[in-house]
Amino acid sequence: MRRISVFGATGSIGVNTVDLLRRQGGAETFDVVALSGGRNIALLAEQARELRADIAVTAFPELLAELRAALAGSDTLAAAGPAAIAEAAARPSDWTMSAIVGAAGLAPGLAALGRGGTLALANKESMVAAGPLMLTEAARNKARILPVDSEHSAIFQAMNGEEKRVVERIILTASGGPFRDWPLEKLRDATPAEAVRHPNWNMGARISVDSASMFNKAMELIETKEFFGVPPEQIEVLVHPQSIVHSLVGFVDGALLAHLGPPDMRGAIGYALNWPRRSPGPLERLDLGAVGRLDFSPPDERRFPALALARAVMRAGGLNGAAFNAAKEVALDGFLAGKIGFLDMAGIVETVLEKMNSGDDLKITTFDLDRVLEVDRLARQAGKDAMARVKNRF
Ligand code: NDP
Ligand code: MG
C-alpha cells in the first residue's frame, strides 16, 4: 500500500486532496500516515477517522486536548505544535501533500524531503522563500517534488518528455482576480470582503486576496524560476479571465503547448497523486463550444505593482525571495485586519526589500533553513515598522 501524508488537510487544497483519496478507495487503497490541520479540529478528526491515519497533528498546542477528545476511541495518535508537524512529516511516507498556508509550510516540506519519496507541493511560499534549499534537499535525498499549483502543474505537463534546452519561454496565465478592470483610484479603497471574492477559483482567503493584488502571480513567477530553472526574462504573464488555459510553454521551433481544464484544483492534485500515470478523475469535462471564447491580454503592471517587485526579486535572487514572502505575508495580514489599504501592500513589500538590500541581511554565502528563518523574521519586523508608518499617515 502506498503511504500518504497530507499537511494542511483541513484547508481548501487539503480537502480536495482527501476527496481524491476517498474517490480512489480511501483507507482501503492508501496507508495514511499523517494528517495535519490548524483550528478546524472537528474536520481533522473526521478525516483521520475516515482515512485511519496513524497520527493527526494540529498546529496549535492549545487545541491538543480538543483533538485528543475528538479522536477518542480511534487508533489515531494526537499531537500538536510546529515541531510535532515537522516530526510527523519526517515519518516515512511515499507521497506527501504540502498544503499548509504560508511560511509555516517550509519546515514540514523540508522534513518530508529529508526522508525521500514524493512531495506534492501546493505551498508555493516554500519555493519562493527557499527554492534552492528545497531543490538541494530533494536532490540529496533522491526525493521528488511535483508541482500542485495549477499553473506549474500545467507547465510540468506541457514539458513532459521535452528536453529543457528546447524550452524558449513560459507563459503564466492569470485570471486577473476580482479587480481585473478596476481603475487605480478604486483599488485604493478596495476592502478585504471585495478582495476575497474570486471570480473563478474557490480558494482559501489568503490566496484569494493575493490573486486580487496579483501577489499570487508574483509568487508564481518566482516559483516558476526556482522550480523549472528558467531565467526570469523567459517567463511572461498573460491575463486570461476565463481561467481555462492554466499556462503555456513555448519551444524553440515556435510551438506553444497549452494545458486546458476547468478551474478545479483536483486536476492538478490528481495529476500529482497519480503521476506518472493518469487516473480517472472527477473534473467537469470542458465543453469548449459552450465556452466559446478565450481572451488574453498583458497585465497592467501600474495597477498591479506586485509583478514588477517579483521581477526585481528574481533578478536579485538569493534570500530576496524569503524577504519578499515574509513582507507580503505581513502586509496581507495588515490588509485583512483593516490596518492598511489594498495598494499599501505593494508599498510595504517594496520598502522592506529596499531596506534589506541596503544592508547585509540578504548577502549570503550559505543558504540554510536558519538563515531563511532569520531573514523571514527580519522582514516581518521591517514590514511591521513600515506598516506603522503607513497607519500614521491617516
Ligand atoms: P487554506 O487557508 O484553505 O488552508 C490552509 C491549511 O493550513 C489548513 O489546513 C489550515 O488549518 C492550516 N494552517 C493554517 N495556519 C497554520 C499554521 N500556522 N501552521 C500549520 N498549519 C496551518 O489554504 P489553501 O488550501 O487555499 O492553500 C494552501 C497552500 O496551497 C497555500 O500555500 C496556497 O498558496 C497554495 N495553493 C492553493 C490553491 C487553492 O486553490 N486553494 C491553489 C494553488 C496553491 P485550519 O484550516 O484547520 O485552521
Ligand atoms: Mg496558481
Side-chain angles (χ1 to χ4, degrees), residues 124 149-151 220:
K124 62 189 84 186
D149 214 345
S150 58
E151 293 77 3
E220 291 179 355

Side-chain angles (χ1 to χ4, degrees), residues 191-232:
T191 66
E194 289 166 328
V196 294
R197 250 180 258 132
H198 197 280
N200 305 338
W201 296 89
N202 183 7
M203 308 181 287
R206 301 180 67 87
I207 186 173
S208 297
V209 175
D210 281 348
S211 293
S213 62
M214 286 233 188
F215 262 111
N216 182 50
K217 211 50 56 182
M219 303 272 286
E220 291 179 355
L221 275 168
I222 303 169
E223 187 186 5
T224 303
K225 178 206 159 215
E226 297 296 346
F227 194 89
F228 296 102
V230 279

Side-chain angles (χ1 to χ4, degrees), residues 357-371:
N357 276 298
S358 68
D360 293 331
D361 293 337
L362 302 181
K363 299 199 178 83
I364 46 143
T365 47
T366 52
F367 205 115
D368 57 28
L369 181 58
D370 287 345
R371 203 69 195 110

